Amino acid sequence: MKHLFFLLLLLQLLQANAQDNMPTYRPLFHFSTDSNWINDPNGLVYHNGQYHLFCQYNPFGDKWGHMSWAHAVSNDLFHWQQQPLAIPEFTNPDGSTTMIFSGCAVADSLNTSGFGTAAQPPLVAMYTAHIEKGGKVQSQQQQLAYSTDDGKTWTRYAGNPVLDIKSTEFRDPKIFWYTPGKQWILVLAKPDEYKVRFYSSPDLKQWTYLSDFGGIGDISEVWECPDITEVPVEGTAEKRWLLTLSAGHEVKGYRAMQYFTGVFNGKQFIADQAPYPLYVDFGKDYYAGITWNNIPAADGRVIMLGWANDWRYANDIPTKGFRGQYATPRVLQLRKKDNGQYRLLQWPVAELDKQVKQSHTLPGFTVTSGEHPLYESVIPALDISFDVTLPYATSAGIALQQDSAHTTIISYNNATGNLEIDRSNAGLHNFSTLYTGLDTLHAPGLEKASFRIVFDVCMLEVFVNNGEYVLTDLVFPLQPQTGVVAFANKGTAAFSNIVVKEINKTVHER
């Protein structure tokens, strides 16, 4: 019996040790909270020299629930300092519970709300108050909270709600200051009607209905998390309005963000003629992207941040100590095509280059029906750029290798005209039957293309032709990547302009 006891104890110790040695999959330079669950980014605002990030957060566990707003600040979009919980879930006098669903924050520099003073203008957050009682949704209404100490503490407005249409499907407000009309504009979703609704206000408290937009594009799933902003057109002084939203909640969860370009005249958004739907990201793991408010005019950038996950398996991804992360902050531009239509371009913010530990410029080479080592090193985080020309090869690309059996493959298939990410043999995949291996995007005519691949422990972002095509996928390697291999199938491909950047080991501040 004593021997059996010690044997069982040894097995428990071995199991505990094996569990401790399992990868945590925490990204090194992509944002994640110190613990627990996150989903949509909220309240992105630049204020007093800092980027503020709020997010959907469960203070009590690593799966969705008890939605509250977490808070972090950064000077450079990569070194984040997590702050105390900003706006927590609360219980109402009638016993119902209000969860703090997605929303936005603005710097009320003119103190239009009266929540601050001329000397100390407030930050004002609008969030969807999701009210439930006994497991039944009672209402989704819009409420305010404000801060006069740079977001350190928050006070819920005594006059809440500021907007309530007596609906259970009315959420995700985004506010911006419309200078021509000297007023605030609010856009938010009517999810089950495939619409977004516009309102105006002089003070963030009283809202007047303006218009609805919807019924075009992808209406196969609910619409949520809308965002609207003016975006510069590449190589010109022109700007165009960009309306984005997420569609695909829990069911499709794939190519879930779409966009429209057009004109906003102070009352309504009028979409350009285009072959909608147009998608923001063609990977499986990009959702709820919104842009920062109040970026200084001297900066001039439009910066978007998105949740890197898929609702179909988000509760089950095999991360340890946390669950949920955000993609690299991206600069947005529009490209005007020869036919007069506009297409979205996305590119990692320049601040990513400041996180580089070492940069290697490599000589070009050709590969004929085989492989060629591109870079060899234990690589938890890399930023790789290269051009590839493959007029005669069936397909070509690179593989991030752990060993001969475990790779993540990024390629262009010349025969089918498809960009592909194959994560079938990238690592763990049995945590969900909905986590599938092959991502494809039909993009004919890319026999010559530029690639930028950002890899960070479990995060993979692929930018093609200066961000005209973007794919974001999660991968869960069984061991660290040990090298990068270039390949060509059934023909010759030429690789050139190769730059490999190693990212610093950690840029989080916790």
Side-chain angles (χ1 to χ4, degrees):
M1 184 65 68
K2 184 183 292 185
H3 292 297
L4 180 60
F5 170 79
F6 282 115
L7 180 59
L8 290 173
L9 179 61
L10 178 61
L11 287 172
Q12 289 175 350
L13 290 172
L14 289 172
Q15 289 172 349
N17 185 61
Q19 184 67 29
D20 288 342
N21 290 329
M22 284 292 290
T24 66
Y25 296 114
R26 184 184 290 280
L28 301 186
F29 62 91
H30 289 80
F31 177 80
S32 59
T33 45
D34 56 7
S35 61
N36 298 335
W37 163 280
I38 62 171
N39 53 288
D40 305 355
N42 300 149
L44 305 183
V45 61
Y46 185 84
H47 182 64
N48 286 346
Q50 287 189 312
Y51 296 93
H52 289 258
L53 183 163
F54 300 86
C55 59
Q56 291 287 278
Y57 177 69
N58 181 355
F60 305 111
D62 64 359
K63 294 193 175 185
W64 187 93
H66 302 286
M67 287 293 95
S68 304
W69 275 24
H71 181 203
V73 296
S74 174
N75 295 321
D76 66 358
L77 293 167
F78 288 96
H79 292 80
W80 291 99
Q81 295 178 323
Q82 195 165 332
Q83 305 296 299
L85 189 66
I87 310 176
E89 170 193 61
F90 59 92
T91 302
N92 301 298
D94 66 356
S96 62
T97 297
T98 295
M99 285 194 276
I100 313 302
F101 270 26
S102 291
C104 64
V106 296
D108 185 13
S109 58
L110 301 177
N111 193 31
T112 63
S113 63
F115 292 144
T117 65
Q120 186 66 48
L123 286 175
V124 181
M126 178 182 278
Y127 57 86
T128 294
H130 177 88
I131 303 171
E132 290 188 3
K133 188 173 184 180
K136 183 178 180 180
V137 180
Q138 293 188 319
S139 177
Q140 287 187 343
Q141 55 185 232
Q142 314 318 309
Q143 298 188 0
L144 299 180
Y146 60 91
S147 172
T148 56
D149 58 4
D150 293 330
K152 295 181 179 65
T153 60
W154 290 83
T155 302
R156 295 197 306 272
Y157 173 44
N160 282 331
V162 295
L163 189 56
D164 183 5
I165 63 169
K166 310 301 181 184
S167 171
T168 59
E169 295 285 346
F170 186 55
R171 59 179 177 268
D172 307 336
K174 177 63 187 288
I175 300 170
F176 66 95
W177 179 256
Y178 184 63
T179 301
K182 296 182 180 179
Q183 60 185 345
W184 297 102
I185 299 294
L186 163 65
V187 59
L188 71 172
K190 300 192 75 181
D192 55 344
E193 297 180 26
Y194 317 111
K195 291 180 180 178
V196 295
R197 176 163 285 188
F198 290 91
Y199 293 83
S200 66
S201 173
D203 61 3
L204 296 168
K205 300 173 184 176
Q206 305 295 321
W207 292 95
T208 300
Y209 168 76
L210 296 175
S211 63
D212 284 358
F213 169 80
I216 65 173
D218 188 339
I219 56 172
S220 62
E221 302 293 343
V222 299
W223 284 19
E224 57 185 15
C225 303
D227 187 276
I228 186 169
T229 188
E230 271 194 300
V231 176
V233 177
E234 178 189 43
T236 74
E238 182 187 359
K239 289 188 175 181
R240 202 76 178 166
W241 286 89
L242 176 74
L243 173 64
T244 63
L245 55 91
S246 293
H249 189 271
E250 293 192 25
V251 180
K252 188 167 64 172
Y254 178 51
R255 297 183 184 176
M257 278 200 70
Q258 63 177 312
Y259 71 90
F260 305 87
T261 65
V263 174
F264 180 73
N265 61 15
K267 292 185 178 180
Q268 62 183 148
F269 175 79
I270 303 166
D272 294 324
Q273 293 295 316
Y276 297 116
L278 298 171
Y279 292 102
V280 173
D281 193 294
F282 292 88
K284 291 186 172 70
D285 296 302
Y286 195 83
Y287 200 81
I290 60 170
T291 57
W292 256 276
N293 278 330
N294 207 41
I295 297 289
D299 183 310
R301 294 179 297 176
V302 177
I303 303 174
M304 174 174 277
L305 187 70
W307 179 46
N309 218 330
D310 183 321
W311 273 115
R312 298 174 302 171
Y313 47 71
N315 275 302
D316 303 312
I317 60 173
T319 54
K320 183 179 177 183
F322 76 104
R323 188 169 274 121
Q325 57 282 310
Y326 293 152
T328 303
R330 300 173 182 176
V331 177
L332 306 186
Q333 284 188 314
L334 292 172
R335 174 175 289 164
K336 192 171 186 178
K337 309 290 280 187
D338 291 341
N339 61 7
Q341 296 176 356
Y342 297 88
R343 294 294 182 270
L344 181 62
L345 305 178
Q346 304 166 74
W347 200 248
V349 292
E351 287 87 342
L352 179 56
D353 289 335
K354 297 178 181 178
Q355 317 309 321
V356 173
K357 179 181 178 182
Q358 290 185 352
S359 181
H360 309 273
T361 299
L362 306 178
F365 54 84
T366 60
V367 185
T368 301
S369 301
E371 297 181 349
H372 186 286
L374 188 149
Y375 190 71
E376 294 183 0
S377 179
V378 176
I379 45 170
L382 284 179
D383 183 355
I384 308 170
S385 300
F386 62 90
D387 296 339
V388 61
T389 305
L390 63 159
Y392 307 114
T394 301
S395 63
I398 68 166
L400 303 175
Q401 289 192 324
Q402 302 164 57
D403 54 39
S404 59
H406 297 99
T407 59
T408 304
I409 301 170
I410 303 103
S411 64
Y412 182 71
N413 190 312
N414 210 12
T416 62
N418 289 339
L419 280 166
E420 298 180 352
I421 295 179
D422 189 348
R423 59 184 184 179
S424 304
N425 297 310
L428 289 178
H429 56 80
N430 59 359
F431 56 88
S432 171
T433 58
L434 298 173
Y435 178 87
T436 53
L438 185 64
D439 240 346
T440 61
L441 161 62
H442 191 57
L446 290 185
E447 293 87 356
K448 183 176 183 179
S450 64
F451 281 75
R452 184 173 180 183
I453 297 168
V454 177
F455 176 74
D456 182 7
V457 182
C458 71
M459 287 283 307
L460 180 63
E461 296 169 274
V462 179
F463 302 85
V464 181
N465 283 3
N466 297 313
E468 186 171 356
Y469 304 105
V470 184
L471 299 94
T472 302
D473 276 347
L474 293 177
V475 295
F476 299 100
L478 297 172
Q479 56 191 345
Q481 311 288 344
T482 58
V484 183
V485 173
F487 68 88
N489 291 320
K490 296 182 180 179
T492 299
F495 291 78
S496 60
N497 299 319
I498 305 163
V499 180
V500 178
K501 299 175 182 178
E502 299 179 11
I503 307 298
N504 274 335
K505 204 161 191 182
T506 179
V507 297
H508 276 295
E509 295 179 3
R510 302 186 186 283

